[in-house]
Amino acid sequence: MSKLSFENGKMIVPSCVTVPYITGDGVGAEITPVCQAVVDAAVKKAYAGERSIEWKEVMAGERSFNMNGEWLPEATLETFREYLIGIKGPLTTPVGGGIRSLNVALRQTLDLYVCQRPVRWFKGVESPVKEPQKVNMVVFRENTEDIYAGIEWKCGTPEAEKFLHFLQDEMNVQKIRFPETSSFGVKPVSVEGTERLVRSAIEYALENELPVLTLVHKGNIMKFTEGGFKLWGYALAENEFGNRVFTMMQYNELAKERGKIVADEALALARQEGRLVVNDVIADAFLQNTLLKPEAYSVIATLNLNGDYISDQLAAMVGGIGIAPGANINYRTGHAIFEATHGTAPDIAGENQANPSSLLLSAVMMLEYLGWNEAAKQITTAMENCFEAGKATIDLARFMAGGKSLSTTEFRDELIREMGGPIK
Ligand code: NAD
């Protein structure tokens, strides 16, 4: 077993890396082995045996519950803690059990504060927008705070009543429209939570030489939470990254003092010098802009709820659920879990029809996270070639002009053939 280690903010990667994996429920049993076969072929092709992955199965979800009565065994969490990274197929959400969501439990236990979702279009894949080739963004969604923190009370309970009295009697809040029938939720957004998310997004943008980082928020309405996110994000960019960034705050100051022309020139110069432009936009305008001028955006940093909506809209613009990858990452400890973003697809489970692309592209993110970019490129190139030739699983192929529907395993074979490797 070869473990990764994380020292002084840097990942130390051995030539053979052990990757713990959760097969997943439903279609997980089909897409996980396919993903592993393609990744193995890509690593072999890229490094001719000098690097390899050793897969280590860990249990979670329905499969685990049926085998040992536990949805998320402690041993699984311990393995992820120890090996730093992991990859998972989709998991059935337990109904009526002690755990609300396995995904949330995993994120919380390892404090995986970034939900990273890259969104790009593959030529050949049908899209509802006219120019999907202009969609190329990476979303950094804050994963641990916001109205999603799970602090809420149902109307009519003693807790909701107590909270209502606290608001009315102690905080002098008189504007709750229907106090007796209101449920309540709390939206914590902190300086530290914002800073670690925005820092990771800026570092990612700089490392990958991307031109713009956009803070997406609703600070016009929620001034201290979403507005705080914007202000703290800008402050961090200026204080920690200095001349490597040029913020819209700096632009506005210049425009106020010395006029718009000078500010425009400074912006053009910043771009020429390769400085990262940090700007912000209100979330509703952002959603509209993604349809009207998606090329204006490259890296997005946003809070939890906004990030949820944004990720799904952007995914829909490039082909939807079967193809959108994701990762949950803690850039301070190095812990990262890469995952298929769709569910267990019970309606097609067991039929060898599921699209493995979401999990595969998550594996691509994992290879890039390890710095194994050559292997990652092998997979994306093979996918590009297949989709361009209309070869895909039925969910995508049925919308492609001249598309040829392949089963999950046939799609695997095509990808491996594209990489010039033997088919197992
Ligand atoms: P789903 O994502 O499983 O399915 C929605 C639709 O998309 C279905 O028609 C399905 O056939 C299709 N689909 C999904 N993945 C596909 C793929 N790889 N290839 C082709 N088609 C695909 O959502 P659901 O039906 O609402 O949820 C089913 C179960 O999955 C529930 O228990 C839910 O809680 C769980 N879930 C888990 C995750 C996760 O683990 N990340 C995410 C969402 C839902």
Side-chain angles (χ1 to χ4, degrees), residues 27 31 88-95 103 107 321-323 339-349 353-358 393-395 398:
V27 292
I31 60 176
K88 61 173 276 291
L91 296 173
T92 304
T93 305
V95 182
N103 296 314
R107 283 172 206 170
I321 198 158
I323 200 171
E339 63 178 359
T341 58
H342 55 75
T344 58
D347 51 338
I348 55 166
Q353 269 190 29
N355 187 348
S357 300
S358 170
T393 45
I394 187 165
D395 55 311
R398 66 188 155 172

Side-chain angles (χ1 to χ4, degrees), residues 136-161:
N136 196 355
M137 299 177 214
V138 182
V139 179
F140 278 67
R141 164 185 168 194
E142 206 291 325
N143 233 351
T144 62
E145 297 196 305
D146 197 3
I147 200 78
Y148 271 30
I151 310 168
E152 53 177 4
W153 300 284
K154 191 175 169 187
C155 69
T157 60
E159 290 82 5
E161 201 176 323

Side-chain angles (χ1 to χ4, degrees), residues 71 78 84 98 109 129 136 144 151 212 228 231 233 251 275 329 339 358 372 389 417 424:
W71 286 98
E78 199 38 57
L84 290 181
T109 310
V129 298
N136 196 355
T144 62
I151 310 168
V212 190
L231 292 179
Y251 175 95
R275 285 162 72 178
I329 305 175
E339 63 178 359
S358 170
W372 293 9
R417 190 173 291 124
K424 277 188 204 162

